[in-house]
Coordinates of all heavy atoms in Angstrom, one line a residue:
Y202 N -52.9 12.8 -34.1 CA -53.3 14.2 -33.7 C -52.5 14.7 -32.5 O -52.2 15.9 -32.4 CB -54.8 14.3 -33.4 CG -55.8 13.9 -34.5 CD1 -57.0 13.3 -34.2 CD2 -55.5 14.1 -35.8 CE1 -57.9 12.9 -35.2 CE2 -56.3 13.7 -36.8 CZ -57.6 13.2 -36.5 OH -58.4 12.8 -37.5
F203 N -52.0 13.7 -31.7 CA -51.3 14.1 -30.5 C -49.8 14.2 -30.8 O -49.0 14.6 -30.0 CB -51.5 13.0 -29.4 CG -52.9 13.0 -28.9 CD1 -53.8 12.2 -29.5 CD2 -53.2 13.8 -27.8 CE1 -55.1 12.2 -29.0 CE2 -54.5 13.8 -27.4 CZ -55.5 13.0 -28.0
D204 N -49.4 14.1 -32.1 CA -48.1 14.4 -32.6 C -48.0 15.8 -33.1 O -46.9 16.3 -33.4 CB -47.6 13.4 -33.6 CG -47.5 12.0 -33.1 OD1 -47.2 11.8 -31.9 OD2 -47.8 11.0 -33.9
L205 N -49.1 16.5 -33.2 CA -49.1 17.9 -33.6 C -48.6 18.8 -32.5 O -48.5 18.3 -31.3 CB -50.6 18.3 -34.0 CG -51.2 17.6 -35.1 CD1 -52.7 17.9 -35.2 CD2 -50.6 18.0 -36.4
P206 N -48.2 20.0 -32.8 CA -47.9 20.9 -31.7 C -49.1 20.9 -30.7 O -50.3 20.9 -31.1 CB -47.8 22.3 -32.4 CG -47.3 21.9 -33.8 CD -48.0 20.6 -34.1
T207 N -48.8 21.0 -29.4 CA -49.8 20.8 -28.4 C -51.0 21.7 -28.5 O -52.1 21.3 -28.2 CB -49.2 20.9 -27.0 OG1 -48.6 22.2 -26.9 CG2 -48.2 19.8 -26.8
D208 N -50.8 22.9 -29.0 CA -51.9 23.8 -29.1 C -52.8 23.5 -30.3 O -53.9 24.1 -30.5 CB -51.4 25.3 -29.1 CG -50.5 25.6 -30.4 OD1 -50.0 24.6 -30.9 OD2 -50.4 26.8 -30.7
Q209 N -52.4 22.6 -31.2 CA -53.2 22.2 -32.3 C -53.9 20.9 -32.1 O -54.6 20.4 -33.0 CB -52.3 22.1 -33.6 CG -51.7 23.4 -34.0 CD -50.8 23.3 -35.2 OE1 -50.9 22.4 -36.0 NE2 -49.8 24.2 -35.3
V210 N -53.7 20.2 -31.0 CA -54.4 18.9 -30.7 C -55.9 19.2 -30.6 O -56.3 20.1 -29.8 CB -53.8 18.3 -29.4 CG1 -54.6 17.0 -29.1 CG2 -52.3 17.9 -29.6
P211 N -56.7 18.5 -31.3 CA -58.2 18.8 -31.2 C -58.7 18.6 -29.7 O -58.2 17.7 -29.0 CB -58.8 17.7 -32.1 CG -57.7 17.4 -33.1 CD -56.4 17.5 -32.3
S212 N -59.6 19.4 -29.4 CA -60.2 19.4 -28.0 C -61.2 18.2 -27.9 O -61.4 17.7 -26.8 CB -60.9 20.7 -27.7 OG -60.0 21.7 -27.6
F213 N -61.8 17.9 -29.0 CA -62.8 16.8 -29.0 C -62.6 15.9 -30.2 O -62.4 16.4 -31.3 CB -64.2 17.4 -29.1 CG -65.3 16.4 -29.2 CD1 -65.6 15.6 -28.1 CD2 -66.1 16.3 -30.4 CE1 -66.7 14.6 -28.3 CE2 -67.1 15.4 -30.5 CZ -67.4 14.5 -29.4
I214 N -62.6 14.6 -30.0 CA -62.3 13.6 -31.0 C -63.3 12.5 -30.9 O -63.6 12.0 -29.8 CB -60.9 13.0 -30.9 CG1 -59.9 14.2 -30.9 CG2 -60.6 12.0 -31.9 CD1 -58.5 13.7 -30.5
T215 N -63.9 12.1 -32.0 CA -64.8 10.9 -32.0 C -64.0 9.7 -32.7 O -63.3 9.9 -33.6 CB -66.1 11.1 -32.7 OG1 -65.9 11.2 -34.1 CG2 -66.8 12.3 -32.1
L216 N -64.4 8.5 -32.3 CA -63.8 7.3 -32.8 C -64.9 6.2 -32.8 O -65.4 6.0 -31.7 CB -62.6 6.9 -32.0 CG -61.7 5.7 -32.5 CD1 -61.2 5.9 -33.9 CD2 -60.6 5.5 -31.5
Y217 N -65.1 5.6 -33.9 CA -66.3 4.7 -34.1 C -65.8 3.3 -34.6 O -65.0 3.2 -35.5 CB -67.3 5.3 -35.0 CG -68.4 4.3 -35.4 CD1 -69.5 4.0 -34.5 CD2 -68.4 3.6 -36.6 CE1 -70.5 3.1 -34.9 CE2 -69.3 2.7 -37.0 CZ -70.4 2.5 -36.1 OH -71.3 1.6 -36.5
F218 N -66.4 2.2 -34.0 CA -66.1 0.9 -34.5 C -67.5 0.2 -34.7 O -68.4 0.3 -33.8 CB -65.3 0.1 -33.5 CG -64.0 0.8 -33.1 CD1 -63.8 1.3 -31.8 CD2 -63.0 0.9 -34.1 CE1 -62.6 1.9 -31.5 CE2 -61.8 1.5 -33.7 CZ -61.6 2.0 -32.4
E219 N -67.6 -0.6 -35.8 CA -68.8 -1.2 -36.1 C -69.1 -2.5 -35.2 O -70.3 -2.9 -35.1 CB -68.8 -1.7 -37.6 CG -68.9 -0.6 -38.6 CD -67.5 0.0 -38.9 OE1 -66.6 -0.4 -38.3 OE2 -67.5 0.9 -39.8
D220 N -68.1 -3.1 -34.7 CA -68.3 -4.3 -33.9 C -68.6 -3.9 -32.4 O -68.2 -2.9 -31.9 CB -67.0 -5.1 -33.9 CG -66.7 -5.7 -35.3 OD1 -67.5 -5.6 -36.2 OD2 -65.6 -6.2 -35.5
P221 N -69.3 -4.8 -31.8 CA -69.8 -6.2 -32.1 C -71.2 -6.2 -32.7 O -71.9 -7.2 -32.7 CB -69.7 -6.9 -30.8 CG -70.1 -5.9 -29.8 CD -69.5 -4.6 -30.3
D222 N -71.7 -5.0 -33.2 CA -73.1 -5.0 -33.7 C -73.2 -5.9 -35.0 O -74.2 -6.6 -35.1 CB -73.4 -3.6 -34.1 CG -74.8 -3.4 -34.7 OD1 -75.8 -3.5 -33.9 OD2 -75.0 -3.3 -35.9
H223 N -72.2 -5.9 -35.8 CA -72.2 -6.7 -37.0 C -72.4 -8.2 -36.7 O -73.3 -8.8 -37.3 CB -70.9 -6.5 -37.8 CG -70.7 -7.4 -39.0 ND1 -71.5 -7.3 -40.1 CD2 -69.9 -8.4 -39.2 CE1 -71.1 -8.2 -41.0 NE2 -70.2 -8.9 -40.4
Q224 N -71.6 -8.7 -35.8 CA -71.7 -10.1 -35.4 C -73.0 -10.4 -34.7 O -73.6 -11.4 -34.8 CB -70.5 -10.5 -34.5 CG -69.2 -10.4 -35.2 CD -68.6 -9.0 -35.2 OE1 -69.2 -8.0 -34.7 NE2 -67.5 -8.9 -35.9
G225 N -73.5 -9.4 -33.8 CA -74.7 -9.6 -33.1 C -75.9 -9.8 -34.0 O -76.8 -10.6 -33.7
H226 N -76.0 -9.1 -35.1 CA -77.1 -9.3 -36.0 C -77.1 -10.7 -36.7 O -78.1 -11.3 -37.0 CB -77.1 -8.2 -37.1 CG -77.7 -6.9 -36.6 ND1 -79.0 -6.7 -36.4 CD2 -77.1 -5.7 -36.4 CE1 -79.2 -5.5 -36.0 NE2 -78.0 -4.8 -36.0
L227 N -75.9 -11.2 -36.9 CA -75.8 -12.5 -37.5 C -76.1 -13.7 -36.6 O -76.8 -14.6 -37.0 CB -74.3 -12.7 -38.0 CG -73.9 -11.8 -39.1 CD1 -72.4 -12.0 -39.4 CD2 -74.7 -12.0 -40.4
V228 N -75.7 -13.6 -35.3 CA -75.7 -14.7 -34.4 C -76.4 -14.5 -33.1 O -76.5 -15.4 -32.3 CB -74.3 -15.3 -34.2 CG1 -73.8 -15.8 -35.5 CG2 -73.4 -14.3 -33.6
G229 N -76.8 -13.2 -32.8 CA -77.4 -12.9 -31.5 C -76.2 -12.6 -30.5 O -75.0 -12.7 -30.9
P230 N -76.6 -12.4 -29.2 CA -75.6 -11.9 -28.3 C -74.8 -13.0 -27.6 O -73.9 -12.7 -26.8 CB -76.4 -11.2 -27.3 CG -77.8 -11.9 -27.3 CD -78.0 -12.3 -28.7
D231 N -75.1 -14.3 -27.8 CA -74.5 -15.3 -27.0 C -73.5 -16.2 -27.8 O -73.0 -17.2 -27.2 CB -75.6 -16.2 -26.4 CG -76.5 -15.4 -25.5 OD1 -76.0 -14.5 -24.8 OD2 -77.7 -15.6 -25.6
D232 N -73.2 -15.9 -29.0 CA -72.3 -16.8 -29.8 C -70.8 -16.5 -29.6 O -70.5 -15.4 -29.1 CB -72.7 -16.6 -31.3 CG -72.1 -17.6 -32.2 OD1 -71.0 -17.4 -32.6 OD2 -72.8 -18.7 -32.4
S233 N -70.0 -17.4 -29.9 CA -68.5 -17.2 -29.8 C -68.0 -16.1 -30.7 O -67.0 -15.5 -30.4 CB -67.8 -18.5 -30.1 OG -68.0 -18.9 -31.4
L234 N -68.8 -15.8 -31.8 CA -68.4 -14.7 -32.6 C -68.4 -13.4 -31.9 O -67.6 -12.5 -32.1 CB -69.3 -14.6 -33.8 CG -69.1 -15.5 -35.0 CD1 -70.1 -15.3 -36.1 CD2 -67.7 -15.4 -35.6
I235 N -69.4 -13.2 -30.9 CA -69.4 -12.1 -30.1 C -68.2 -12.0 -29.2 O -67.6 -10.9 -29.0 CB -70.7 -12.0 -29.3 CG1 -72.0 -12.0 -30.2 CG2 -70.8 -10.9 -28.3 CD1 -72.0 -10.7 -31.0
T236 N -67.9 -13.1 -28.6 CA -66.7 -13.2 -27.7 C -65.5 -12.7 -28.4 O -64.7 -11.9 -27.9 CB -66.5 -14.6 -27.1 OG1 -67.8 -15.0 -26.5 CG2 -65.4 -14.6 -26.1
D237 N -65.3 -13.2 -29.6 CA -64.1 -12.8 -30.4 C -64.2 -11.3 -30.7 O -63.1 -10.6 -30.7 CB -64.1 -13.6 -31.7 CG -63.8 -15.1 -31.5 OD1 -63.4 -15.4 -30.3 OD2 -64.1 -15.9 -32.4
A238 N -65.3 -10.8 -31.1 CA -65.5 -9.4 -31.4 C -65.2 -8.5 -30.2 O -64.5 -7.5 -30.4 CB -66.9 -9.1 -32.0
V239 N -65.6 -8.9 -29.1 CA -65.4 -8.1 -27.8 C -63.9 -8.1 -27.6 O -63.3 -7.1 -27.2 CB -66.2 -8.7 -26.7 CG1 -65.7 -8.1 -25.3 CG2 -67.7 -8.4 -26.9

Side-chain angles (χ1 to χ4, degrees):
Y202 300 150
F203 293 90
D204 297 327
L205 297 169
T207 55
D208 61 342
Q209 296 179 26
V210 175
S212 297
F213 175 69
I214 303 167
T215 70
L216 183 57
Y217 168 81
F218 305 112
E219 291 85 355
D220 292 352
D222 182 73
H223 172 68
Q224 295 82 4
H226 281 291
L227 294 175
V228 297
D231 301 317
D232 193 271
S233 61
L234 282 179
I235 297 296
T236 305
D237 295 341
V239 169

